[in-house]
Amino acid sequence: MRSGGKTAHRLLRVTLASPLIGLALAGSVAAQELPSLEVPVDCDLSTVCSIQNYVDARPGADARDYTCGTLTYDGHQGTDFQVPDLATMRYGVAVFAAAAGTVRNTRDGSPDRGIDAWRRSGKSGEELGNAVAIMHGNGWETLYGHLRQGSVTVSPGDRISAGHPLGMIGLSGKTAFPHVHFQLLHKGQVVDPFSGKSASSGCGEETTPLWSPTALSHLGYRGSVLVCGGLAVSEPQRSAIREECPSTTEAPRNAGALVAFAEFGGVRAGDRIRLAIIQPDGRTLVDNEVQLEKTRARQFRYVGKNRPSELWQTGSYTAHIVLTRRIADKDRVLIDVGRSLAVR
């Protein structure tokens, strides 16, 4: 396998069609000879990684993903597979080819500095940072963007199979969090692999997913995701959590505080977030629920208590992290996670 670090290549730009052409394409995409796509990341999507954004199926201020959910933003043209923190990115999460094909072009050498640095010095047309473009025949193509600097392992002209390593998830280009932007195109038009329809063709309709059955078994839709959550012994700082999601499992009896924290992805106005801590004797230490006023891509919250005058009880403390959404006049629990910490 070749290592990265090659001279940066500029990916050929993809010309997107007007909304009218996209709508005309929507009804005919499923009739084409389609690729069967595999999951493009080497990461457990139920416990570690997650999908932060899908293709925007309904552009405008009220953007929606293919289910009519809010895991997208206006004009987004791909699927964002994210890692929970920068430490995981640095450890290394591989990005794979979703289908067999021929590498059309690559770019490497862009630093993993995120959106603020890109805005200061980034080049127009290089918003995806380090990236790989693969042709799959019959007009189909996939793009993989925001790869980690120096990680690209393929070169233009390479013929590769599904599952071939392309690079690592990174923070290069115009991005606020470490992920790979996976984009599917047919004859230059963006196609949503979850619906089988062109971008901007609407949401909530019958879908024809382009993923393989195995891939689909790992890609169940979650209307909101828990990016990071648990118990800490001091007030958590959001910047520190984005650097490395804490995994504290033990604490001394004289710990200064016990705090439940969570960062969610894809919350809506009206969602309710509940954070609670249950003591070893079953009593509630703290229990707080708030209703959100705004729809946000990310939402961070924490609650806790300072150490009482006496020491903490010994035993297991449990944080309950719950997100509830009102759907079709019924409350639906989207996230219900427990995290434990032992006080010794």
Side-chain angles (χ1 to χ4, degrees), residues 57-58 63-71 202-205 221 268:
R58 194 171 72 187
R64 288 289 184 265
D65 61 43
Y66 75 102
T67 72
C68 293
T70 56
L71 287 176
C203 64
E205 304 295 332
Y221 181 84
R268 292 188 192 179

Side-chain angles (χ1 to χ4, degrees), residues 6 13 17 53 73 75 80 85 98 112 143 146 156 159 163 172 182 192 231 250-251 254 312 315 330:
K6 300 180 292 295
R13 294 195 180 198
N53 295 302
Y73 57 86
D80 292 342
D85 51 38
D112 295 289
L143 301 178
H146 306 305
R159 295 181 62 83
S172 62
F182 173 76
D192 186 343
L231 279 162
E250 292 188 2
N254 64 349
W312 295 109
K330 292 184 179 180

Side-chain angles (χ1 to χ4, degrees), residues 29-301:
V29 167
Q32 307 294 328
E33 185 176 347
L34 306 180
S36 182
L37 303 172
E38 303 299 335
V39 177
V41 293
D42 183 21
C43 192
D44 188 333
L45 289 166
S46 63
T47 60
V48 180
C49 295
S50 57
I51 296 176
Q52 174 67 50
N53 295 302
Y54 294 85
V55 173
D56 180 14
R58 194 171 72 187
D62 195 30
R64 288 289 184 265
D65 61 43
Y66 75 102
T67 72
C68 293
T70 56
L71 287 176
T72 189
Y73 57 86
D74 187 23
H76 190 241
Q77 298 178 340
T79 304
D80 292 342
F81 294 87
Q82 69 179 345
V83 294
D85 51 38
L86 293 170
T88 304
M89 182 198 82
R90 295 188 186 105
Y91 179 81
V93 175
V95 174
F96 297 143
T102 301
V103 177
R104 175 171 64 78
N105 217 337
T106 66
R107 181 169 57 234
D108 202 348
S110 297
D112 295 289
R113 297 186 299 180
I115 190 168
D116 291 336
W118 185 89
R119 283 172 173 161
R120 290 192 296 269
S121 59
K123 298 178 182 178
S124 177
E126 296 187 5
E127 288 81 358
L128 287 180
N130 305 314
V132 174
I134 301 175
M135 300 179 294
H136 305 285
N138 299 303
W140 291 96
E141 184 170 352
T142 52
L143 301 178
Y144 309 76
H146 306 305
L147 302 179
R148 199 172 78 184
Q149 183 179 18
S151 74
V152 175
T153 61
V154 293
S155 299
D158 286 354
R159 295 181 62 83
I160 57 176
S161 59
H164 188 95
L166 306 175
M168 299 282 185
I169 284 179
L171 192 67
S172 62
K174 189 179 179 181
T175 176
F177 57 95
H179 71 285
V180 60
H181 172 94
F182 173 76
Q183 188 168 327
L184 176 68
L185 303 104
H186 184 250
K187 297 182 179 178
Q189 309 297 309
V190 175
V191 177
D192 186 343
F194 287 88
S195 69
K197 298 179 180 180
S198 65
S200 310
S201 60
C203 64
E205 304 295 332
E206 183 177 352
T207 62
T208 306
L210 307 185
W211 303 102
S212 74
T214 299
L216 278 175
S217 70
H218 297 286
L219 293 171
Y221 181 84
R222 291 184 282 168
S224 182
V225 296
L226 180 64
V227 180
C228 176
L231 279 162
V233 295
S234 61
E235 180 180 327
Q237 299 299 315
R238 192 177 195 183
S239 59
I241 284 174
R242 290 189 169 185
E243 177 66 30
E244 183 171 9
C245 183
S247 57
T248 306
T249 57
E250 292 188 2
R253 294 190 67 195
N254 64 349
L258 289 178
V259 182
F261 66 90
E263 180 157 36
F264 299 90
V267 298
R268 292 188 192 179
D271 287 354
R272 300 197 309 277
I273 291 176
R274 177 180 173 235
L275 299 178
I277 303 175
I278 308 302
Q279 300 178 121
D281 60 8
R283 292 186 299 167
T284 299
L285 178 67
V286 60
D287 192 340
N288 176 267
E289 184 176 72
V290 297
Q291 183 167 319
L292 303 180
E293 297 180 356
K294 296 181 179 180
T295 295
R296 296 182 183 275
R298 291 286 184 92
Q299 179 71 51
F300 177 65
R301 287 197 59 78

